[in-house]
Each structure stands twice: as structure tokens, then as C-alpha cells.
Amino acid sequence: MSEDTYTIGDMTFRSRLIVGTGKYRDFEQTRAAIDASGAEIVTVAVRRVNITTRDEANLLDFLDLDRITILPNTAGCYTAEDAVRTCRLAREAGVGSLVKLEVIGDEKTLFPDVPATIDAARTLVADGFTVLPYLNDDPIAAQRLADIGCAAVMPLAAPIGSGLGIRNPYNLKIILEQSSVPVIVDAGVGTASDVAKAMELGCTAVLLNTAIAGADQPIMMAQAMKLGVEAGRLAFRAGRIPRKLYATASSPIEGLLD
């Protein structure tokens, strides 16, 4: 597994589990869960987490920044202009140019506003950002975002925080077949079997937050998610057997002597 890496922009990673930082009991639990997950990329909501006022309690002080890449996100933004402004704020604060772009279109479902996401992505790419956009499981939108120059696409598995798992694997397969950039499943997974399924489909990585932070035992669930990603990726690389309608004997009788 150590040689099985992927690249986003000019950065290379080994862990295919990306985790968020919201909804934990405190910063200590956040750090423990991240450590247990083995994640190398951690998302931070610029609008909801203090990353600019250094004399106040700061999540970043609890993270091993020598090992972890911070992925600021625009959670809570409902317009392209607001998302672009938030990304620029994060870069000015010294977090970097790698950003997860979210432009929400509906408060109840938290589904993305795809046209606004495309507009914001176009501006951010032109401004030198490495953009990872959150989108519906829409192959056309994914292709347009890749064509703009996004470094990856991040189709949802199900609504944010729903825990429903992958609702439409067939659309994800189409996105995977046509994509020239990494495909990262983002939002809606609930347990380790969900992330294993995403990896078995051939997805590059999985991003999640609530599935760990909302579990009865977050640290234990973080470990489970790590193992689920690793098992699913190994199964994808190994190559599963074809599906057949009828049985095939595990111990064939052909060639046996009478």
C-alpha cells in the first residue's frame, strides 16, 4: 500500500481517507480521531473555524501540520462570490491554495448549486488555486469542472451527514470512466462498508466527517474507516471475479482420474 499513491495538484498522498474536523466533542477528540484515521488531508471550514486569530483557541494548534495537509473548505457559502472571497481569505491567512469548493444551493438538502460552483471554480482556477469542487453525482458537471482545470472532482454519495451510503453507483462509474482527474467521493457515507464500496468502484479517495464524529465511539470508527478504505482499495487493485448467474465449482472435476 505504501507505493500506491495519488496526486492532487503538485502534492502526492498515500492515505485515501480524507476527514473533516466538525462536530467533535473538543479539539483533543478531533486530533485523536484524525490520528486514528491515518488521514493526510484534513478539511477545515474557513467560515466556522478560527484560522486567522492566533491569540484564540485554534484547531490548527492541535494538528500535526508536519504530517497533515490542511484543506480549507467553503462550507456555508451560498453564492459563487462568497465562496471565492472565503478561499482568498484562507490563502491570505497562510493556509495555502488547495481548497475544497462548496457552493450550497439548498438549506434542507445541502445539495450544491452546480452553476454557481462552476462559476466559482473558473474564477479560482484562474486565480491560481488548486480546486476540489463538491458536486452532485452528475457526469456532465464533473466533466465541465475537470475541463475548467479543477485538480479533482468530488461527487456526493448521498446528502451531507445523511449516512445513506452510495445511492447511485452507476453515475459514479460513468464519472470514473470519463474523468481525467482524481474522483473523491464526498458526503453521505455512514460506515466502513460504504467507503470500501467507493474504493472498490475505483474512486481515488473518500472524504467524510459526520460518519466518524457522530459515531458512538469516534476513535474506533476512525480506525474502521481507515481499514475500510484500505480493504476496498486492495480489492479494486486485485480485481474481483466476474458476476455470474449460475454456480461455478470451487473444486473443478475436469481432469480428475476415475
Side-chain angles (χ1 to χ4, degrees):
M1 292 293 291
S2 62
E3 298 178 356
D4 180 33
T5 61
Y6 65 101
T7 300
I8 296 177
D10 59 357
M11 294 173 285
T12 299
F13 302 98
R14 291 184 174 83
S15 172
R16 293 175 182 269
L17 179 61
I18 303 170
V19 298
T21 53
K23 303 182 180 180
Y24 287 98
R25 182 183 65 231
D26 50 38
F27 288 156
E28 286 81 5
Q29 188 183 66
T30 306
R31 178 179 58 191
I34 292 170
D35 289 346
S37 75
E40 296 174 311
I41 306 175
V42 174
T43 66
V44 175
V46 178
R47 291 168 60 92
R48 297 172 181 162
V49 176
N50 171 33
I51 64 171
T52 58
T53 308
R54 298 303 183 184
D55 59 350
E56 297 180 6
N58 193 322
L59 170 65
L60 302 186
D61 294 336
F62 289 79
L63 304 181
D64 181 0
L65 299 182
D66 292 330
R67 182 182 67 82
I68 291 171
T69 295
I70 298 299
L71 176 61
N73 69 59
T74 61
C77 293
Y78 285 81
T79 67
E81 294 77 11
D82 201 10
V84 169
R85 187 183 310 111
T86 300
C87 290
R88 288 171 174 165
L89 172 64
R91 184 164 65 182
E92 289 299 318
V95 182
S97 295
L98 178 67
V99 294
K100 177 191 172 186
L101 174 62
E102 295 183 29
V103 185
I104 301 301
D106 177 69
E107 290 186 3
K108 183 175 182 179
T109 65
L110 299 181
F111 284 147
D113 182 331
V114 173
T117 299
I118 292 173
D119 288 345
R122 186 178 289 109
T123 299
L124 290 168
V125 169
D127 202 16
F129 285 90
T130 301
V131 182
L132 283 61
Y134 161 69
L135 68 150
N136 292 321
D137 52 358
D138 178 350
I140 304 302
Q143 188 62 55
R144 288 181 179 173
L145 287 161
D147 290 343
I148 286 170
C150 292
V153 292
M154 307 182 76
L156 56 78
I160 292 173
S162 67
L164 292 172
I166 296 174
R167 297 293 84 198
N168 196 338
Y170 304 104
N171 274 20
L172 286 179
K173 285 184 179 181
I174 295 172
I175 293 172
L176 286 162
E177 287 175 1
Q178 70 181 21
S179 184
S180 59
V181 298
V183 177
I184 302 171
V185 165
D186 177 19
V189 300
T191 191
S193 59
D194 296 330
V195 299
K197 184 175 183 179
M199 300 310 297
E200 288 173 0
L201 287 172
C203 295
T204 304
V206 178
L207 189 154
L208 57 88
N209 182 184
T210 305
I212 293 177
D216 291 341
Q217 298 290 334
I219 313 308
M220 190 180 299
M221 184 60 79
Q223 294 172 328
M225 293 298 189
K226 175 183 179 181
L227 295 173
V229 166
E230 292 177 354
R233 179 64 182 174
L234 280 173
F236 172 75
R237 295 177 67 193
R240 62 158 293 139
I241 63 172
R243 292 179 173 86
K244 298 180 181 179
L245 183 60
Y246 298 105
T248 301
S250 298
S251 300
I253 60 174
E254 291 82 359
L256 295 179
L257 297 177
D258 293 335

